[in-house]
Amino acid sequence: DRAAFIAYSYGAVKIYLAGMDFGPTIGKYSNFEKYGYNFERKRKKLDIGRKMLETLASLSDVPIINVSKNAIEINGIITLKR
């Protein structure tokens, strides 16, 4: 999510999201142990990230495309199903 804002600030003409599904499952690359395996805290963090991306999509004319496997729909973001 933060990388999308950085890409936008540097003038990206398209932003691709990979490995960001924001779904109910916590993936093995999510650093879940970093949060003491606190599911509620990790869910809040993921919800904030999703809302940030929705805000960027609503304020920007740059297409944001989610190519993540099993990605959930995010308002304003194009989801490519694989």
Side-chain angles (χ1 to χ4, degrees):
D1 51 334
R2 291 157 285 187
F5 279 86
I6 293 169
Y8 175 73
S9 71
Y10 277 96
V13 294
K14 284 185 186 175
I15 298 171
Y16 289 91
L17 307 175
M20 302 180 71
D21 62 18
F22 293 100
T25 305
I26 306 296
K28 65 181 179 180
Y29 299 110
S30 291
N31 294 321
F32 194 35
E33 66 281 351
K34 179 178 176 181
Y35 300 97
Y37 298 96
N38 183 331
F39 183 79
E40 184 177 326
R41 182 175 180 192
K42 184 62 177 180
R43 275 284 2 125
K44 285 180 183 178
K45 184 176 183 295
L46 290 170
D47 288 342
I48 290 168
R50 180 186 48 79
K51 289 175 185 174
M52 288 174 57
L53 288 171
E54 287 176 345
T55 299
L56 179 62
S58 71
L59 298 175
S60 162
D61 59 350
V62 174
I64 303 173
I65 302 132
N66 193 347
V67 297
S68 304
K69 185 178 179 182
N70 302 321
I72 66 166
E73 296 291 326
I74 301 173
N75 292 329
I77 295 178
I78 300 162
T79 301
L80 296 182
K81 296 290 183 181
R82 304 192 293 152

